[in-house]
Amino acid sequence: MRISLFRRLASTAVALGLGSLGLLGAGAAPAQAAVSDCPQGYFCAWGDTGSTGPMFKTQSSRATLGTWDNKFRLIINRTPGFACTFDAPNYVDGAGRYANEGFPTSIASRSVSSVKIVRTLRECDQEAYPYWLSETSPKAAGFGDMNGDRRADVLVRDLVGRLWFLPGDGGGKLVGSGGWNVFDAMVRHGDFSRDAREDVIVREKATGRLWLYPGTGTGGLGARKLLGNGGWNAMSRIAAFGDLTGDARSDLLAVERSTGKLWLYPGTSTGTLGARKLLGNGGWNGMNALVGVGDMNGDGRADLYAREASTGKLWLYPGKAGALGARVLVGTGGWNGMTMLIGNGDWSGDGRLDLIATQVESRMLYRYPGTGTGRLGAGDWLGGGDWWDLNGAF
């Protein structure tokens, strides 16, 4: 995969072509057409650099170009996403990538035989979602498993606000067609709605409302329900934890931005949140990531991982009866290099809970196996650097 080549945008002198079905009208373009004739939402091209001849237009991908094969000399992309050109038919040998920048680009020096119209740049040469693979665990973790197959899965949001479900077999499924960019916090850890299916909790940035999206048991999500009518923007961090209170219900943790206090919001029998309880009297704003990771130390209670912003250290806070115990150092430093920390159960299939982390710079996902003592084993990376062009994973 030639990432450096594929990420060239409109300023790069490369070719672009479209299929014969993209002709203006029913196969016959007017004798004269100008750049201004290209409608919004379309990709258009001309056979000369002056845009004075026949014009192609299309809103969809073209695997072959028919009589316009290797004929494009000027292009403009007015679609909502990217136009990706290829030197060969069927999207082989990628050449150029063009965003909607409002102006035409001369591509007289290259030949093009196919074109893709896609929403995000990564879709030019790979799936909209990244590669994720996990093993079947010998036992259900109670979280991190949206479809109940005992394989740790991941939810991923892309840059245009779509939500993808990655079940752990290398594939993915669209479970949110758009609109997810309005949320600035997205968490999950088990069943909040009391139907034995894992759910998702999100915070709406504009209103501070907290919403519950009930899981369907197949990786999808049902109609959302209001959990908090407002005020949740006062929290700097939100973490779905699991059962801290010992009542077999999933709970929520949140850090108050103005005070640094850590609050417990217990789950109720009706799928709502109960009156909050103070867990930490202050200092929690010093943590820039909180992750409910389940029972990492083998004592039968759910635990919390927290990353210290000033040092990059990773700490384990063991769960107690309605409280958190004395913290234990898990990682001595370097964890600030990770963009996202995700506790999604047992990805390694050994019956112990694990951790995964993503890194923007390397575009990698790293997997850290749990040891059963609260600590982590040596990490390894998964995939060929395709964890990029995303807007969150959990």
Side-chain angles (χ1 to χ4, degrees):
M1 180 175 63
R2 299 180 301 164
I3 294 294
S4 60
L5 175 63
F6 288 171
R7 299 198 68 186
R8 293 178 298 173
L9 298 177
S11 60
T12 308
V14 290
L16 184 60
L18 297 172
S20 58
L21 293 180
L23 276 169
L24 182 64
Q32 302 292 323
V35 169
S36 59
D37 293 328
C38 183
Q40 186 66 37
Y42 280 79
F43 173 87
C44 299
W46 294 262
D48 63 86
T49 58
S51 69
T52 58
M55 180 182 75
F56 272 98
K57 67 174 183 178
T58 188
Q59 290 178 298
S60 59
S61 300
R62 295 289 183 259
T64 58
L65 301 181
T67 58
W68 281 84
D69 187 37
N70 298 333
K71 297 292 179 64
F72 284 17
R73 298 297 177 264
L74 187 75
I75 62 92
I76 187 169
N77 178 25
R78 304 195 70 193
T79 73
F82 292 86
C84 325
T85 67
F86 300 83
D87 287 343
N90 301 310
Y91 318 121
V92 174
D93 194 9
R97 305 295 181 254
Y98 301 92
N100 182 343
E101 296 190 347
F103 54 81
T105 300
S106 173
I107 56 172
S109 62
R110 292 294 298 268
S111 62
V112 173
S113 295
S114 55
V115 62
K116 277 186 181 179
I117 307 298
V118 295
R119 296 295 306 281
T120 62
L121 187 61
R122 62 175 293 121
E123 293 172 82
C124 288
D125 50 2
Q126 59 192 124
E127 299 290 353
Y129 51 84
Y131 182 75
W132 166 246
L133 187 67
S134 59
E135 302 296 331
T136 302
S137 178
K139 57 184 179 181
F143 70 100
D145 184 11
M146 297 284 292
N147 61 355
D149 64 354
R150 303 203 319 275
R151 298 177 75 165
D153 47 47
V154 182
L155 289 169
V156 171
R157 179 175 62 183
D158 65 23
L159 292 182
V160 294
R162 296 175 298 186
L163 192 68
W164 299 89
F165 171 66
L166 282 54
D169 61 0
K173 179 175 73 171
L174 185 67
V175 294
S177 59
W180 282 80
N181 280 340
V182 302
F183 304 122
D184 63 352
M186 304 179 296
V187 297
R188 62 173 179 138
H189 191 109
D191 173 29
F192 283 88
S193 60
R194 311 301 296 165
D195 61 0
R197 298 166 180 165
E198 187 170 28
D199 308 312
V200 168
I201 293 177
V202 297
R203 180 178 62 191
E204 193 171 21
K205 182 178 181 180
T207 65
R209 290 175 177 170
L210 202 66
W211 295 94
L212 168 73
Y213 283 84
T216 63
T218 61
L221 299 170
R224 70 182 187 178
K225 301 175 182 178
L226 189 64
L227 271 186
N229 197 39
W232 284 87
N233 280 339
M235 303 299 172
S236 59
R237 302 283 168 192
I238 296 174
F241 183 82
D243 179 24
L244 183 62
T245 58
D247 60 1
R249 299 166 185 158
S250 292
D251 305 318
L252 196 70
L253 304 183
V255 177
E256 194 170 24
R257 194 187 311 275
S258 61
T259 65
K261 292 178 178 178
L262 181 67
W263 295 93
L264 164 69
Y265 291 82
T268 69
S269 60
T270 59
T272 59
L273 296 175
R276 70 182 187 177
K277 173 187 174 183
L278 186 63
L279 281 184
N281 199 39
W284 283 87
N285 278 335
M287 303 296 175
N288 60 10
L290 302 179
V291 187
V293 288
D295 180 18
M296 294 295 290
N297 60 5
D299 65 356
R301 296 183 181 276
D303 304 315
L304 179 73
Y305 275 170
R307 182 177 60 193
E308 194 170 24
S310 62
T311 64
K313 292 178 179 178
L314 189 66
W315 295 93
L316 167 73
Y317 287 83
K320 302 297 181 183
L324 295 175
R327 68 183 188 178
V328 177
L329 187 62
V330 173
T332 57
W335 285 89
N336 278 335
M338 298 300 174
T339 312
M340 292 172 286
L341 305 180
I342 305 169
N344 65 338
D346 174 26
W347 58 257
S348 59
D350 64 358
R352 301 183 183 123
L353 301 180
D354 308 311
L355 184 74
I356 60 176
T358 65
Q359 188 179 63
V360 168
E361 290 78 8
S362 66
R363 301 181 176 184
M364 293 290 192
L365 180 136
Y366 294 87
R367 306 185 301 181
Y368 296 88
T371 63
T373 66
R375 303 183 185 277
L376 297 170
D380 67 359
W381 57 269
L382 176 71
D386 67 343
W387 283 77
W388 65 286
D389 217 30
L390 304 171
N391 192 24
F394 60 107

